[in-house]
Amino acid sequence: MLSLIVFLPIIAGLVILAVPSSQKQIIRIVSLLAALAQGVLAVLIWRGYNPSLPGITGSFQYVEKVPWISLQLGGFGSLNIEYFLGVDGISITMVILTALISAIGVLSSWTIQKQVKGYFILYNLLASAMMGCFVALDFFLFYVFWEVMLLPMYFLIGIWGGPNREYAAIKFFLYTLFGSVFMLLVMIGLYFSVLDPATGNHTFSLVAMATQTNYIKGAILGPDNVFWRYVAFIVLFIGFAIKVPMFPFHTWLPDAHVEAPTPISVILAGVLLKLGTYGMIRINFPLFPEVFHASMYVIGIFGAINIIYGAFCALAQKDLKKMVAYSSISHMGYVLLGLAAGNSEGMVGALYQMFNHGTITAMLFLLVGVIYDRAHTRQIEKFGGLASYMPVYAALVTVAWFASLGLPGLSGFISEALVFVGAFSSETTRPIAMVSVLGIVFGAAYLLWSLQRMFLGQRRSDAAYDLVVGDDGHEHIHFHDWKGKLDLDGRELAMLVPLVVITIFLGIYPMPVLGMLTTSINKLVEVLSPVVMSHL
Amino acid sequence: MFELPSGAEIQSIIASLQASVGFFIPEIYLSLLFMLLIVIDLVAKGRKNNLLAITTLVGLAGSFFFIYQQHALPAGEFFFGMYVLDEFALFFKYFFVLSGMLAVVITMADEQFDSEVKSIGEYYALIVAMVIGMIMMACSSDLLMIFLSMELVSFTAYILTGYFKRNARSSEAALKYLVYGAVSSGLMVYGFSLIYGLTAQTNLIKISAELATHGYDPLVMIFSTLLVLAGFGYKIGAVPFHFWSPDVYEGAPTPITAYLSVASKAAGFALLMRFYYIAVPHDGHAYEDILGIDWLSLLILLSVASMIYGNVVALWQKNVKRLLAYSSIAHAGYLLLGIIVMDELGTQATLFYLLSYFLMNFGAFYVVILIANKTGSENLDDYRGLGKSMPLAGAALTVFLISLVGLPPTLGFIGKLMIFSALLAKGSLYMWLALIGIMTSVISLYYYMLIPLNMYLRESRHHEEKQLSPGMPAQIFMAVLMILTIYFGLFFAPLSDFAKYSSAMFGLTLH
């Protein structure tokens, strides 16, 4: 089941390889079918998921575990790598999110005209790798998926991106590779330090690594090797923080977003950023719980910086997409803050925020794409008074913008509230939480301000569109060289409406997601609870 | 004065030689192939066909049979301790024959030969001669034999480098290669003579025994190992003995560049490992009185310098062959990491890395040739838009380059994984080396990606969108290499087990 959901897009990619590149529509439809099939599988997995099993250190569901590579390693013994997939409460929400965003990304890619075949092959490779990351339970397998994402992303930004795409693409590639090569060293170090209790062999299994009693005393990352455990935690954290992206490693993100085509921005904000925090939850924290405890305060501070700094940057942007990119950085800060709280409320809030950030930010980028397609500009000051001419668009923008600023009744509110409940109830993060609340105010500021400038008031004299008086005597607006429907067309509605529905539904009734999370999060909090390493 | 041997002694010498010949069959076979090629060249002169190339290919492939049979022979020394047969040597025999074959295949694809040389002449014979020389390098266990085999390889390499006689760059490369080669051989022989002076032995195992039992002057020892390192360092192309390599790689015919960068480098590594592992073992405290420097510290220095210099200087290269030359300097640095750890795992990792380097580097050069056939250029700027006009070549080259960076799911990633595993298996001792290794591999991403950047992200300056097809056999061969790079990146156990099997060296006890 999990293998199928992971490799379906790659299979679609192989099918596309055989389709002649002139058959653009077939290529798109094959991709869409694969994405929809992925969605169906995700729903099936969700229906069959038993939320009472905790996961983290065992009792994973839909487990697929076969030996993949087994070889003799010098005088060291055997090296065993397993093809080991499974989901628990933490990953299943991400699996559903990934399936959803991938499908919407395909719809959003419909307008791509240049080298369609290559685009969809890379897109499907990316979709597979993302899904693989969320279900891999073997560190080696995780690492392979993690790195396989980079190259398609590089090309997707680099070939189909905006004017400054070369710079943005290589910056993305270098930044993330810089983070992940350290992960490689930690992975090797962990392998030498952990024994699988079942077989007595060294192992890459993340499940075995999450139990501290499996570590070998005296090994490089063994329980008594405090110095290297701190180093390993920090470099792993930086590796994941680059992906989040956490201040001060965030500078690649605005560049990547501004240059990337809309669907890739959606994927980037919707799924890829979650991999950073997912990696922290799955790997970084449970493997080094004592270091996590020592650094909760620091993580919280970085979370707060993300929230406030991201909001300030967003406030200063003239480019709408860049504003959304910075708002995305700001909102990932809540995830970090919730994780830093270290209690169930904070962690549940963090994970729920990851899911909501995925849906809401995807929506924001899609909406930015809609207006960019029409006006060929994203400068906020080039618009004004759009609400009266594009009412449906304006309505959806309003929902998305309000969801993003955390209006009660929409999903973003619940997750942010949970994060703050967690952060306030933890002694460590309470002062940080007090400061972070300001982020909500600034968030409201940039979102409402942009809403006002773009949609309310009158058309500006230098706007990106003309006013024409139509046959019916009413004023309409006209975008230069835009042939399509002025307001949202069917395809755009098909992408946006599901997201809006989810946002509203989960804002009123969050239990479908929270219910899956809580058991796993409680287990995670238990794993992370202070342990005295020297007793191991 | 030497006395003439008595009749009985001569009898025993002959008997010993006869016994040794049985261990030498692949080399004899290849020598016969070499002569056969010369004869064919004489007989079939002037004919423009691939007869010579096919004969070379088939002939080289035939040698696998004889090499395979050697697995049954016990490991040991023969020819009076001049020559050795062990799993380690067998690994390199396969390696060199295979690289000889690949060199032939990519020569056949290179259209530059059609324009530069009238007759392919002794070219293929020289490739076979170089295979023999490199095999002998990997099997030498005596200082004299080491020197002779190295010179055999070097001389054939000089000729092959300058094979485009009318091409100034090719001739310049050959001359540079020769001058550097002569100097470093001279230094190496001087080092050998010092070692002989210390031990009165030329056999590596006996040198080791002599050093262990009688002691030595550490200053002389470090000086002589440094001199010997000049010879080996030149062969492997490590900093600071690398100065020849960018010019030679750029000027030489591209198949020879590929051949030198893979096979000749590997031969240097085979020799370096055998020499340092067996003759001058590192026992941790042997030379501590001399500033704490011994050959291991020298190798560490070489490795770090190569990784940093090779990767950093490559950033500014505009010519793809030159870029790959600097990258090969950097890869020499990574390979040295595996030797530095001095254990079975390290040897296994080095051999594995050589295998991965073999596949990805030959692959990269092969595509470079195919592209040069169509565009007539190896400049980065002329790679613009090739992703569209040569889709398969572009994809294949990207895979090889990704593998050279060391990203999964390619073979190069596993190579790096093995090397870093070997380093980290020693605990935190070599952590800093691993850190330098991974930091420089991030740097390498930038310059390797310059090639896909030009191929895919930039538009061709010629606006016509025409497909450039390198021909069906080349397409298939390229695809096979590409698929192998990925396949072995996902299922690398056979290669790794072979590397482990091959890490057994006669006369060696590593801890």
Side-chain angles (χ1 to χ4, degrees):
Chain A
M1 191 82 151
L2 289 180
S3 289
L4 197 58
I5 199 170
V6 170
F7 290 106
L8 251 175
I10 283 195
I11 296 168
L14 291 176
V15 172
I16 291 171
L17 204 57
V19 177
S21 48
S22 52
Q23 299 293 328
K24 294 182 179 177
Q25 204 61 19
I26 295 180
I27 290 169
R28 292 183 186 121
I29 287 169
V30 169
S31 298
L32 184 63
L33 286 178
L36 290 178
Q38 234 189 351
V40 171
L41 281 174
V43 170
L44 288 177
I45 289 171
W46 174 48
R47 297 306 304 166
Y49 180 78
N50 176 359
S52 61
L53 294 173
I56 310 287
T57 55
S59 73
F60 280 84
Q61 299 178 43
Y62 298 101
V63 170
E64 291 173 28
K65 191 173 184 178
V66 279
W68 173 15
I69 289 156
S70 174
L71 51 89
Q72 292 299 310
L73 202 61
F76 183 76
S78 67
L79 175 96
N80 294 296
I81 301 171
E82 279 167 332
Y83 177 78
F84 184 12
L85 305 180
V87 286
D88 62 0
I90 294 168
S91 38
I92 190 159
T93 47
M94 292 297 113
V95 168
I96 294 167
L97 178 71
T98 308
L100 176 71
I101 301 294
S102 296
I104 287 171
V106 173
L107 277 178
S108 168
S109 307
W110 226 258
T111 48
I112 299 277
Q113 294 300 335
K114 184 174 146 190
Q115 298 178 47
V116 175
K117 183 171 171 178
Y119 176 88
F120 277 102
I121 290 173
L122 290 169
Y123 183 92
N124 282 312
L125 189 57
L126 178 67
S128 271
M130 290 187 310
M131 190 61 94
C133 269
F134 285 124
V135 296
L137 291 177
D138 184 282
F139 203 157
F140 186 90
L141 188 61
F142 176 86
Y143 189 80
V144 170
F145 282 130
W146 179 273
E147 296 282 67
V148 167
M149 282 186 311
L150 299 185
L151 194 68
M153 202 64 193
Y154 169 81
F155 283 122
L156 286 168
I157 297 174
I159 302 179
W160 290 272
N164 204 11
R165 56 184 193 262
E166 282 180 16
Y167 170 77
I170 196 70
K171 192 172 179 182
F172 161 81
F173 208 159
L174 283 174
Y175 253 93
T176 33
L177 186 72
F178 180 77
S180 59
V181 287
F182 289 106
M183 202 194 297
L184 174 66
L185 287 192
V186 174
M187 178 178 97
I188 298 169
L190 281 167
Y191 178 79
F192 286 131
S193 312
V194 177
L195 288 179
D196 188 346
T199 60
N201 281 330
H202 288 271
T203 178
F204 279 111
S205 159
L206 287 170
V207 180
M209 285 176 182
T211 308
Q212 291 302 321
T213 44
N214 293 340
Y215 285 73
I216 308 164
K217 251 197 159 90
I220 177 113
L221 293 176
D224 46 351
N225 218 334
V226 178
F227 174 73
W228 286 112
R229 281 182 70 87
Y230 268 77
V231 172
F233 178 87
I234 291 167
V235 296
L236 262 187
F237 185 76
I238 291 176
F240 292 126
I242 289 173
K243 207 85 170 187
V244 170
M246 184 186 86
F247 176 88
F249 309 110
H250 65 283
T251 59
W252 63 269
L253 184 82
D255 288 314
H257 268 312
V258 168
E259 301 306 326
T262 304
I264 302 309
S265 278
V266 169
I267 294 278
L268 188 59
V271 182
L272 242 59
L273 305 191
K274 308 310 168 294
L275 275 163
T277 41
Y278 174 79
M280 290 178 188
I281 298 168
R282 169 73 64 216
I283 299 173
N284 209 355
F285 300 166
L287 268 50
F288 303 97
E290 84 285 12
V291 196
F292 169 66
H293 261 273
S295 43
M296 273 156 64
Y297 190 69
V298 182
I299 298 172
I301 291 205
F302 275 111
I305 295 177
N306 253 37
I307 294 172
I308 293 177
Y309 176 81
F312 269 124
C313 288
L315 206 50
Q317 296 312 316
K318 295 195 166 75
D319 181 329
L320 186 64
K321 202 170 185 188
K322 219 164 183 173
M323 186 200 88
V324 174
Y326 276 110
S327 94
S328 174
I329 293 175
S330 174
H331 284 96
M332 288 308 281
Y334 294 109
V335 180
L336 286 174
L337 182 63
L339 294 177
N343 47 28
S344 292
E345 300 89 329
M347 292 262 182
V348 168
L351 261 161
Y352 196 37
Q353 170 75 359
M354 279 162 67
F355 188 87
N356 293 335
H357 181 271
T359 48
I360 295 171
T361 319
M363 206 152 57
L364 297 180
F365 278 111
L366 286 172
L367 289 162
V368 173
V370 166
I371 197 70
Y372 181 72
D373 281 346
R374 286 160 174 73
H376 302 297
T377 177
R378 294 183 299 246
Q379 298 299 311
I380 296 174
E381 68 208 22
K382 294 277 183 191
F383 301 96
L386 279 180
S388 30
Y389 310 113
M390 299 173 71
V392 182
Y393 179 65
L396 290 185
V397 167
T398 314
V399 174
W401 256 237
F402 278 121
S404 183
L405 67 79
L407 188 79
L410 297 168
S411 62
F413 168 72
I414 296 180
S415 50
E416 282 173 27
L418 278 169
V419 164
F420 278 113
V421 170
F424 272 107
S425 58
S426 153
E427 288 289 331
T428 334
T429 50
R430 190 169 301 153
I432 305 170
M434 288 176 185
V435 182
S436 305
V437 175
L438 288 175
I440 296 190
V441 181
F442 298 127
Y446 65 78
L447 286 163
L448 292 176
W449 193 32
S450 62
L451 202 61
Q452 179 203 340
R453 281 183 291 173
M454 287 181 67
F455 290 92
L456 307 179
Q458 296 298 317
R459 173 188 177 273
R460 307 212 184 176
S461 53
D462 59 344
Y465 46 88
D466 305 318
L467 276 179
V468 287
V469 178
D471 305 331
D472 52 357
H474 291 294
E475 277 186 332
H476 294 281
I477 56 171
H478 173 70
F479 290 102
H480 309 287
D481 54 73
W482 171 254
K483 305 279 187 298
K485 200 171 169 217
L486 178 62
D487 213 334
L488 298 177
D489 62 22
R491 183 184 58 86
E492 287 162 342
L493 283 172
M495 304 186 292
L496 286 162
V497 168
L499 291 173
V500 171
V501 170
I502 288 170
T503 309
I504 296 173
F505 178 75
L506 290 181
I508 299 165
Y509 185 63
M511 283 324 283
V513 176
L514 292 189
M516 286 190 294
L517 286 176
T518 38
T519 329
S520 289
I521 291 290
N522 288 334
K523 176 72 184 171
L524 179 68
V525 171
E526 184 194 319
V527 169
L528 294 180
S529 60
V531 274
V532 185
M533 298 304 287
S534 54
H535 287 181
L536 290 171
Chain B
M1 283 297 291
F2 291 105
E3 284 179 32
L4 286 173
S6 68
E9 278 172 318
I10 292 176
Q11 286 299 321
S12 84
I13 289 172
I14 290 174
S16 165
L17 283 176
Q18 279 174 336
S20 298
V21 166
F23 291 84
F24 202 58
I25 290 171
E27 288 85 347
I28 294 173
Y29 168 82
L30 286 169
S31 309
L32 290 174
L33 176 66
F34 170 72
M35 289 184 249
L36 176 71
L37 286 169
I38 291 181
V39 172
I40 293 180
D41 179 40
L42 286 174
V43 174
K45 196 129 208 149
R47 272 198 229 156
K48 271 259 180 186
N49 60 20
N50 284 328
L51 178 65
L52 275 170
I54 303 290
T55 318
T56 316
L57 266 186
V58 174
L60 284 174
S63 70
F64 282 130
F65 173 72
F66 298 104
I67 299 173
Y68 183 74
Q69 290 198 320
Q70 291 197 314
H71 284 288
L73 297 174
E77 285 185 314
F78 51 101
F79 287 131
F80 308 103
M82 284 277 173
Y83 212 74
V84 71
L85 179 72
D86 51 19
E87 286 86 350
F88 184 76
L90 282 173
F91 174 89
F92 282 100
K93 287 184 184 179
Y94 287 118
F95 191 95
F96 296 138
V97 171
L98 209 55
S99 51
M101 289 172 69
L102 267 178
V104 173
V105 170
I106 64 180
T107 304
M108 288 162 75
D110 191 345
E111 290 170 8
Q112 209 187 350
F113 277 81
D114 300 340
S115 58
E116 291 279 355
V117 288
K118 284 211 179 77
S119 149
I120 199 76
E122 59 284 356
Y123 179 85
Y124 291 114
L126 285 170
I127 284 188
V128 173
M130 205 166 147
V131 170
I132 302 171
M134 291 187 298
I135 286 179
M136 289 166 114
M137 273 171 83
C139 300
S140 304
S141 66
D142 189 288
L143 297 181
L144 287 174
M145 196 62 212
I146 288 176
F147 181 67
L148 281 177
S149 54
M150 261 181 89
E151 291 307 294
L152 174 55
V153 173
S154 296
F155 279 111
T156 42
Y158 303 149
I159 303 170
L160 288 171
T161 303
Y163 205 75
F164 292 165
K165 276 171 279 194
R166 290 174 199 84
N167 184 322
R169 295 206 63 97
S170 178
S171 306
E172 180 200 338
L175 187 64
K176 275 190 179 152
Y177 200 18
L178 173 69
V179 171
Y180 280 109
V183 172
S184 55
S185 308
L187 292 174
M188 187 181 73
V189 172
Y190 185 32
F192 284 168
S193 70
L194 287 176
I195 291 173
Y196 182 73
L198 280 173
T199 60
Q201 296 289 350
T202 53
N203 178 284
L204 297 183
I205 296 172
K206 287 186 182 143
I207 289 173
S208 163
E210 197 71 27
L211 290 175
T213 50
H214 289 105
Y216 42 84
D217 183 339
L219 190 62
V220 178
M221 193 64 211
I222 184 71
F223 188 53
S224 58
T225 45
L226 181 62
L227 289 170
V228 173
L229 200 55
F232 296 163
Y234 157 80
K235 267 271 164 281
I236 64 174
V239 176
F241 311 109
H242 66 282
F243 289 103
W244 58 275
S245 71
D247 290 325
V248 170
Y249 283 15
E250 193 185 346
T254 315
I256 297 305
T257 307
Y259 192 41
L260 287 180
S261 72
V262 175
S264 166
K265 194 185 282 280
F269 272 103
L271 208 47
L272 189 138
M273 286 164 96
R274 199 183 284 283
F275 180 80
Y276 283 111
Y277 280 8
I278 292 185
V280 279
H282 169 81
D283 50 9
H285 50 79
Y287 317 111
E288 263 171 18
D289 37 342
I290 306 295
L291 308 164
I293 297 176
D294 64 358
W295 65 265
L296 197 61
S297 329
L298 291 176
L299 282 189
I300 291 176
L301 213 64
L302 244 64
S303 162
V304 171
S306 303
M307 287 189 292
I308 294 177
Y309 179 87
N311 279 322
V312 171
V313 177
L315 293 173
W316 284 275
Q317 299 312 315
K318 299 272 175 258
N319 179 295
V320 174
K321 272 166 84 177
R322 223 175 155 79
L323 189 150
L324 289 173
Y326 281 103
S327 110
S328 96
I329 295 174
H331 282 281
Y334 295 121
L335 281 157
L336 281 171
L337 288 177
I339 300 179
I340 287 163
V341 291
M342 280 224 61
D343 60 7
E344 202 189 343
L345 178 53
T347 313
Q348 182 188 0
T350 311
L351 296 183
F352 188 92
Y353 201 96
L354 279 173
L355 285 176
S356 70
Y357 185 65
F358 171 89
L359 196 54
M360 58 203 185
N361 218 40
F362 260 118
F365 274 111
Y366 186 61
V367 182
V368 168
I369 288 173
L370 294 179
I371 290 175
N373 282 345
K374 293 293 162 196
T375 64
S377 165
E378 280 134 11
N379 285 327
L380 259 179
D381 272 348
D382 295 320
Y383 276 56
R384 286 169 184 236
L386 278 179
K388 268 188 216 161
S389 49
M390 299 178 81
L392 183 62
L397 188 53
T398 308
V399 168
F400 298 133
L401 293 172
I402 284 299
S403 181
L404 284 165
V405 181
L407 287 178
T410 59
L411 191 52
F413 165 63
I414 309 298
K416 289 237 164 63
L417 179 81
M418 298 281 258
I419 294 272
F420 293 139
S421 296
L423 285 173
L424 261 60
K426 289 280 180 193
S428 49
L429 179 62
Y430 291 124
M431 186 69 88
W432 64 280
L433 279 177
L435 284 175
I436 294 177
I438 56 164
M439 301 279 263
T440 50
S441 63
V442 176
I443 298 175
S444 77
L445 174 80
Y446 183 80
Y447 66 80
Y448 285 126
M449 287 314 282
L450 283 177
I451 299 173
L453 175 95
N454 276 292
M455 289 194 304
Y456 290 102
L457 271 59
R458 294 187 175 157
E459 298 289 329
S460 167
R461 271 173 298 190
H462 324 287
H463 284 290
E464 76 271 33
E465 283 261 322
K466 64 165 188 237
Q467 289 287 312
L468 304 170
S469 172
M472 196 39 95
Q475 301 262 36
I476 291 171
F477 190 66
M478 189 161 61
V480 167
L481 288 181
M482 173 174 78
I483 289 165
L484 282 181
T485 306
I486 294 175
Y487 176 81
F488 283 127
L490 292 172
F491 305 96
F492 51 91
L495 291 187
S496 162
D497 287 339
F498 181 51
K500 178 179 160 52
Y501 165 82
S502 308
S503 61
M505 219 184 274
F506 179 71
L508 175 70
T509 44
L510 283 176
H511 312 292

